[in-house]
Amino acid sequence: MHRTDSLDRFMADVRAGLRASPKRLSPEYFYDALGSRLFEAICQLPWYPLTRAERALLERHAEEMVAPFGEGASIVELGCGSGEKLAVLAAPLCKRLPRLDVHLVDVSETALDLSRRTLSRLPRVEVSAHRARYEEGLGAATARRPPGAGGARGGGAALVLFLGSNIGNLDPDAAAAFLAAVRASLRAGDALLLGADLVKPAAELLLAYDDPLGVTAAFNKNLLARINRELGAAIDLRSFDHRAVWNAERARVEMHLVSRRRQVIRVSAIDLEVAFEEGESIWTESSHKYEPDEVVRMGERAGFRCARQWIEEAGRFSTTLLVAEERAAGR
C-alpha cells in the first residue's frame, strides 16, 4: 500500500465518520507510529490481562497448535503487532522444517518493522510484509502459493493467525463476514488460529480499558492527535475525555472520546467543520467478548471445523484452531 493510498483513505474515513450519527472513527487508525507504541505499553499494564493470558497459552501449547503443519507450510499473521506471538508459534516449526514462509499483514509500518526484527532471530524464515488491510493482505499472501498446495491435498498448508482478540473489534455481522472472507481465501486443510477474549466481570473489563495510569486514554486521544498531525486540524485534546463503557446486552466494551463542551472542530485537509454538543462522543472502538462455544459456532458457520480449543482460565482467554473444510460441490 502506498502512503498516498493510505492518506486518501484516512481522509475519506474521517470525513464519513465525523459526519455520521453517532460520530465514529475506525480503530484501525489507532496504529500510527505513536499509537503502536502506546498499545505495546497497554499490553504491559497489570490491569490488561489479555496479552499475558494469550501469551501463556501460546507458550504452553505452541507445539500442539502447529503440529498439523509440515514441509511447505506458511504462516500469515493478520495484525502482526510486534511479532512476539508469531515468533512463539514459528519457533517449533523452524526446528523441524527446512524453510518457513511468513507473511505479515498490517496497516502500521511500525508494526511491520517490529515484526521483521523479531523474526530475524529465527533461522530459515523467509518474511514477506504486506502493508494492507486484512482481506487484501491475506489475498496477496495466499495468491503466491503453487496450485494444489493445501493441507487436504498434501503439503503447503497455510496457517492464518488472527490473535489478540482482534475479532472482538468487529460487530457480529462484520465478524461473520470477515471469517467467511478468510475461508474464501483458503483451501481445504488450511487453518485459522483465532484468539478471542472471553466475558469476565464488568469491573475487570472497565479497568482494562480505562487504566489508572491513563495509557489507554492517551492511546484513544492519539486518534485526535493523528487527525491534527496528518489532516491539519487543531483539535484541543484537553476538550475531550476518554470513556470506556461495558454494554452487557451486547457483551462489548465501548470506547468513546467525549466532548467536554460545545465546540466546533475544523479539519482543513478535507475542508470539514464538525459541531459537538457538550457530552457528545466519537465512538472509537467496540471490543466484543465471547463465551468459548460462541467462538466455535462462528467458525463453523464460516466453513471451518474446530480442531482444538485452548482456554486460559485465569485470564479468561481462548485460542481456537479452526480448519477449513471441503466445500460442497457448487459452492
Side-chain angles (χ1 to χ4, degrees):
M1 181 194 307
H2 297 294
R3 174 64 180 164
T4 52
D5 297 333
S6 178
L7 184 59
D8 287 346
R9 191 168 62 203
F10 184 39
M11 290 192 295
D13 288 350
V14 168
R15 175 186 290 278
L18 293 183
R19 295 173 72 179
S21 182
K23 296 177 175 66
R24 60 176 63 222
L25 292 170
S26 171
E28 78 173 273
Y29 295 117
F30 284 137
Y31 301 98
D32 64 349
L34 177 56
S36 295
R37 294 293 187 181
L38 286 168
F39 183 70
E40 291 299 318
I42 288 170
C43 293
Q44 302 301 316
L45 295 174
W47 308 281
Y48 192 80
L50 186 159
T51 302
R52 289 185 297 280
E54 182 177 41
R55 180 70 182 239
L57 282 178
L58 298 181
E59 290 180 343
R60 194 178 304 134
H61 301 290
E63 290 195 15
E64 302 165 51
M65 292 175 178
V66 301
F69 303 92
E71 189 166 347
S74 60
I75 297 180
V76 184
E77 182 165 25
L78 307 180
C80 55
S82 67
E84 293 291 343
K85 291 178 285 188
L86 170 55
V88 171
L89 290 163
L93 290 172
C94 291
K95 291 178 181 178
R96 58 183 173 85
L97 299 183
R99 168 190 165 119
L100 178 64
D101 288 319
V102 171
H103 295 266
L104 310 173
V105 179
D106 207 292
V107 296
S108 168
E109 191 64 50
T110 301
L112 294 172
D113 288 342
L114 282 171
S115 292
R116 285 191 196 98
R117 290 200 293 271
T118 299
L119 293 173
S120 68
R121 304 195 302 253
L122 298 175
R124 299 181 296 280
V125 174
E126 297 291 330
V127 178
S128 299
H130 309 268
R131 189 177 179 200
R133 290 183 172 181
Y134 298 141
E135 292 91 334
E136 177 189 349
L138 177 58
T142 55
R144 298 185 181 187
R145 292 195 294 168
R153 299 177 179 85
L159 172 61
V160 178
L161 310 181
F162 198 50
L163 304 174
S165 201
N166 285 325
I167 192 71
N169 290 334
L170 305 175
D171 65 41
D173 288 342
F178 170 77
L179 292 177
V182 170
R183 174 61 190 90
S185 294
L186 301 181
R187 299 169 183 171
D190 292 340
L192 169 66
L193 193 64
L194 182 63
D197 200 21
L198 303 179
V199 173
K200 47 184 71 74
E204 293 180 24
L205 288 167
L206 291 175
L207 197 55
Y209 288 84
D210 192 7
D211 63 273
L213 288 179
V215 183
T216 310
F219 176 69
N220 200 13
K221 286 190 176 187
N222 181 57
L223 191 46
L224 299 178
R226 182 175 182 182
I227 294 173
N228 283 349
R229 290 191 299 268
E230 299 186 26
L231 303 186
I235 304 168
D236 181 358
L237 272 59
R238 294 168 297 184
S239 70
F240 284 86
D241 287 329
H242 165 71
R243 181 178 297 166
V245 179
W246 170 241
N247 185 330
E249 181 180 356
R250 297 186 181 272
R252 69 190 184 201
V253 177
E254 300 171 1
M255 288 207 324
H256 296 261
L257 291 164
V258 183
S259 180
R260 301 184 66 179
R261 56 179 169 80
R262 293 186 68 184
Q263 60 179 310
V264 175
I265 65 171
R266 177 169 176 76
V267 186
S268 62
I270 53 177
D271 193 24
L272 179 68
E273 287 190 349
V274 183
F276 285 82
E277 296 295 329
E278 181 179 352
E280 187 177 4
S281 77
I282 307 170
W283 189 354
T284 57
E285 183 179 43
S286 291
S287 185
H288 295 78
K289 308 303 175 184
Y290 296 94
E291 297 295 345
D293 59 335
E294 290 180 305
V295 180
V296 173
R297 289 198 299 271
M298 278 198 306
E300 290 174 344
R301 287 193 292 268
F304 295 93
R305 64 173 174 83
C306 178
R308 185 86 182 267
Q309 185 177 67
W310 298 267
I311 296 174
E312 174 61 38
E313 291 293 349
R316 292 289 293 159
F317 193 90
S318 69
T319 304
T320 307
L321 183 62
L322 300 167
V323 178
E325 294 199 291
E326 289 276 6
R327 292 195 179 277
R331 294 182 61 185

